[in-house]
Amino acid sequence: MSERPAHILEAAEWGRLNFLEARDGREATMQFARRTYAAYRHTLRYGFGMPGRRAIKGDRRGGRGLFMRRQMIESCMVLRWYLRAYKPVEHEVESA
């Protein structure tokens, strides 16, 4: 993988992306990153999809909700960085 920003070096998502890229290749890893990013964003916004569950905005009874939210946000940062770093570049064809 190319050099990544220092502020997201420690996220656990990097290990997963490195493993998938080595095992399945970049295209499969890009598909995984797109699906996972969409799922995490949905969970952060709307909750886990179970009746009575709210979005992860923090737990008033303790720190677990905030801890889970922080982990998901960090994972989203890593996934978004990966998707942007390896986004295919479309070249304009010059008409002569």
Side-chain angles (χ1 to χ4, degrees), residues 54-91:
R54 295 180 297 159
I56 301 177
K57 295 188 182 193
D59 188 350
R60 293 174 191 215
R61 292 168 286 148
R64 180 164 171 79
L66 292 175
F67 178 73
M68 289 179 64
R69 181 174 174 80
R70 181 184 173 119
Q71 284 184 322
M72 289 191 117
I73 290 171
E74 287 176 357
S75 290
C76 283
M77 289 172 60
V78 170
L79 292 166
R80 184 174 53 211
W81 184 89
Y82 184 85
L83 290 169
R84 287 181 180 171
Y86 295 115
K87 182 179 182 180
V89 178
E90 296 180 19
H91 298 284

Side-chain angles (χ1 to χ4, degrees), residues 24-59:
D24 300 331
R26 181 154 304 147
E27 186 56 37
T29 306
M30 292 287 287
Q31 290 174 0
F32 167 81
R34 279 187 211 101
R35 286 192 315 264
T36 306
Y37 181 72
Y40 286 3
R41 293 294 298 160
H42 184 271
T43 301
L44 286 167
R45 186 173 291 142
Y46 300 110
F48 290 98
M50 297 187 288
R53 292 298 298 253
R54 295 180 297 159
I56 301 177
K57 295 188 182 193
D59 188 350

Side-chain angles (χ1 to χ4, degrees), residues 1-19:
M1 296 181 92
S2 65
E3 189 143 341
R4 52 192 183 236
H7 67 282
I8 53 177
L9 282 174
E10 300 302 320
E13 206 67 50
W14 283 119
R16 197 174 335 193
L17 291 171
N18 286 330
F19 171 76

